[in-house]
Amino acid sequence: MPELPEVEVTRRSFANAITGARIEAVVMGKPLRWPLGCDPQLLVGQQVVGLRRRGKYLLLDMEQGLLLLHLGMSGSLRFATDMPEAGPHDHFDLVTNRGTLRLHDPRRFGAVVYAASEDSPVAAKLLGGLGMEPLSEEFLLPTFQAGLKKSRMPIKQLLLAGRLVVGVGNIYASEVLFLSGIRPTTVASRIGAARVQKLHQAIRSVLARAVEMGGSTLRDFSNADGMAGHFQTAANVYGRDGQPCHACGTAIELIRQGQRSTYFCRQCQRP
């Protein structure tokens, strides 16, 4: 599933190209997870004024309203001036005078939703429960520490939930917990101040590095230019069960938490 780094990499790959473009047509394919929420003709003639990200949503701002785009489990976006004919897994084309933005999604868990404003009920429903942005100035250590102290959840599952901080997906949660020396099963409220600070710093550094490396491509992720990510090649623990820890040589272990794979080093990461 594309996580925050992959979505941010996607945003950066076509934000400049589409900003200022005029929408000429909207082509709808098979139904996605949620309906568009407006007549497609409402979008025609509008100018794109910017492209933002909130959590794993891309927000395409227009002169009137915005589109919220989500890549779901297997979706990807392409932006090109010479887009080929749509295939069976291409479900949304936004045709502009600068190129076509296409959502490709074999499993159709992705979404393109129109909202009149970011304060409208549909946007509030999708974005209202999201936690702090880890790569922004709002990701404050005291707020993060206070949120951990209130939770009895295992730390990895709390990070994945996205209510305290967004974007720490499965790969990145394993990596940040390794760097901060915290066992993934540790109850969040039991983590001391020193390790909370290390965890806060690790979240920032791991996600920033993932963005720099183009995200992670485990199956078929690529950005809007078709480029794959490479962060998975630099992982310390993720996907390395049975292999020696880079720090101590102990075999990396694999457990299941909430039906997700968790990788950790028993020696380097303490409860």
Side-chain angles (χ1 to χ4, degrees), residues 178 235-253 264-268:
F178 173 78
N236 288 293
V237 290
Y238 188 86
R240 300 190 61 247
D241 53 302
Q243 298 180 46
C245 172
H246 294 318
C248 71
T250 302
I252 300 298
E253 295 186 30
F264 71 101
C265 173
R266 185 171 296 275
Q267 181 65 29
C268 294

Side-chain angles (χ1 to χ4, degrees), residues 132-211:
M132 295 179 287
E133 286 286 341
L135 299 180
S136 75
E137 293 182 356
E138 75 171 48
F139 186 41
L140 301 174
L141 177 59
T143 307
F144 181 60
Q145 186 167 13
L148 294 182
K149 287 299 181 185
K150 295 177 182 178
S151 178
R152 298 294 300 170
M153 293 177 66
I155 182 58
K156 181 173 181 255
Q157 289 170 280
L158 177 64
L159 293 177
L160 292 183
R163 294 188 294 271
L164 180 58
V165 56
V166 297
V168 191
N170 199 43
I171 296 174
Y172 307 110
S174 290
E175 292 299 302
V176 300
L177 290 171
F178 173 78
L179 290 181
S180 51
I182 300 171
R183 189 80 55 86
T185 52
T186 302
V187 173
S189 60
R190 294 181 55 194
I191 301 173
R195 292 206 297 173
V196 170
Q197 185 172 5
K198 290 183 66 176
L199 178 59
H200 182 266
Q201 294 171 344
I203 290 172
R204 282 188 180 278
S205 63
V206 166
L207 294 181
R209 187 182 184 202
V211 171

Side-chain angles (χ1 to χ4, degrees), residues 65-89:
L66 68 156
L67 291 176
L68 292 88
L69 300 97
H70 195 282
L71 300 181
M73 297 290 292
S74 59
S76 61
L77 291 170
R78 294 286 184 274
F79 186 76
T81 56
D82 55 349
M83 192 71 72
E85 183 178 349
H89 301 308

